[in-house]
Amino acid sequence: MHILLCGSFDDSERDDWLQALQRAFPAAHWHLSVDPLNAAQIEVAVVANPLPGSLQGLPRLRLIQSLWAGVDRLMGDASLPAAVPIARMVDPAMNRAMTETALWAVLSLHRGFFRYAAQQRERLWRQWPQKRADEVQVTVLGLGQMGHGAARQLAAQGYRVAGWTARDRNADPVIEVFSGQETLHPLLSRSDIVINLLPLTPLTEGLLDEEFFNAMKPGAALANLARGAHVIDTDLLRALESGQLSHAVLDVMSQEPLPENHPYWGHSQVTLLPHIAAITDTRSAAGMVAENLTALRDGKPLANLVHKGLGY
Ligand code: GLV
């Protein structure tokens, strides 16, 4: 099997991936670029946010396997061959990492640890009232692999947890589940902390806007661990400045890296992370890719296929 590995990674990241993938699926010829000789041989493209247009002119392409969980950039490439299935990365190690970040954000927001860190910088000794976890309503937007895992772990820590999805979804034994646009505002109005783990699609892009923030409980906090384009930045800044929102934890930005002069950097109510909430784990992710390559070779069903109509 001839496989193309390409994406927006630097040489050392690409070499790490190549090694891990070769180890996980040795029975393949791996290519790092397309040329006139290999273009007609390549059957699979294993990609990490490739430049638009990079998967054109591959007549035998049968599978595009993403190394990223979110496929929004890939789906935005109008030149992708329409008939070729796309598989997302679903990696238990990545899901665990996302749960850790969600737990850290919720614990820090609930217990005021960001505020205490700011107080230390001011040499200020001041205690604030302490709420119990079961007095804190956490809402997780998006109940995919990551959102659902994080929601259940938050519930296990004693938080009152609800999950919200844009489309219908079955009830869950541990968390409350709400679906559809009409349930969103009532849920936001009683949530102390909102965690965004939605996929980025035309339906969810810009969802976190002025109307959304106004619907939130005054003084509530947001953690955006999904994509920067979910948030209208000027609306979020306004909501923070008016006190409608108390704090925002942002792992993802509409422009990455975040420009040096962006107001988020120095904002006392913003905690920034450089898109590290859940980095793909090379070793376990290579194993997941190998499982799909094996299924393709053996004519078995492929896992984690993207629903192109829904965009995730
Ligand atoms: C990270 O953001 C990913 O989509 O894998």
Side-chain angles (χ1 to χ4, degrees), residues 68-70 94 227 275 278 280:
W68 278 52
M94 219 178 158
R227 285 292 182 263
H275 202 143
T280 315

Side-chain angles (χ1 to χ4, degrees), residues 67-72 89 94 146 226-227 252 275 278 280:
L67 295 174
W68 278 52
V71 288
D72 41 287
M89 174 51 61
M94 219 178 158
M146 288 185 179
R227 285 292 182 263
V252 284
H275 202 143
T280 315

Side-chain angles (χ1 to χ4, degrees), residues 99-255:
T99 292
E100 288 162 4
T101 306
L103 286 172
W104 160 81
V106 169
L107 283 165
S108 306
L109 290 164
H110 153 214
R111 294 291 312 279
F113 294 142
F114 296 127
R115 182 161 51 190
Y116 287 119
Q119 283 186 196
Q120 181 182 352
R121 289 192 290 274
E122 303 293 324
R123 297 174 179 262
L124 182 63
W125 185 277
R126 177 169 178 193
Q127 298 178 339
W128 295 84
Q130 183 177 298
K131 272 191 179 178
R132 295 193 318 254
D134 66 356
E135 296 172 313
V136 178
Q137 173 72 46
V138 180
T139 287
V140 179
L141 306 177
L143 288 177
Q145 300 267 345
M146 288 185 179
H148 193 228
R152 295 193 77 150
Q153 283 300 322
L154 286 161
Q157 300 306 313
Y159 291 103
R160 288 203 308 254
V161 181
W164 182 84
T165 58
R167 293 183 318 127
D168 264 0
R169 161 120 195 176
N170 294 341
D172 184 280
V174 183
I175 59 167
E176 280 186 290
V177 175
F178 295 88
S179 312
Q181 205 60 40
E182 65 290 353
T183 64
L184 183 58
H185 284 189
L187 182 58
L188 291 176
S189 70
R190 61 181 178 88
S191 303
D192 300 292
I193 301 172
V194 174
I195 314 260
N196 179 33
L197 278 167
L198 286 165
L200 181 65
T201 68
L203 209 70
T204 64
E205 184 168 351
L207 180 73
L208 280 65
D209 62 359
E210 186 178 9
E211 203 188 325
F212 180 102
F213 298 130
N214 285 342
M216 284 175 74
K217 182 172 168 179
L222 168 74
N224 186 18
L225 309 180
R227 285 292 182 263
H230 283 128
V231 172
I232 305 296
D233 292 324
T234 45
D235 293 354
L236 174 57
L237 285 164
R238 225 174 292 125
L240 288 166
E241 266 136 45
S242 71
Q244 170 63 11
L245 257 70
S246 55
H247 202 91
V249 175
L250 304 175
D251 178 57
V252 284
M253 318 294 148
S254 46
Q255 194 188 343

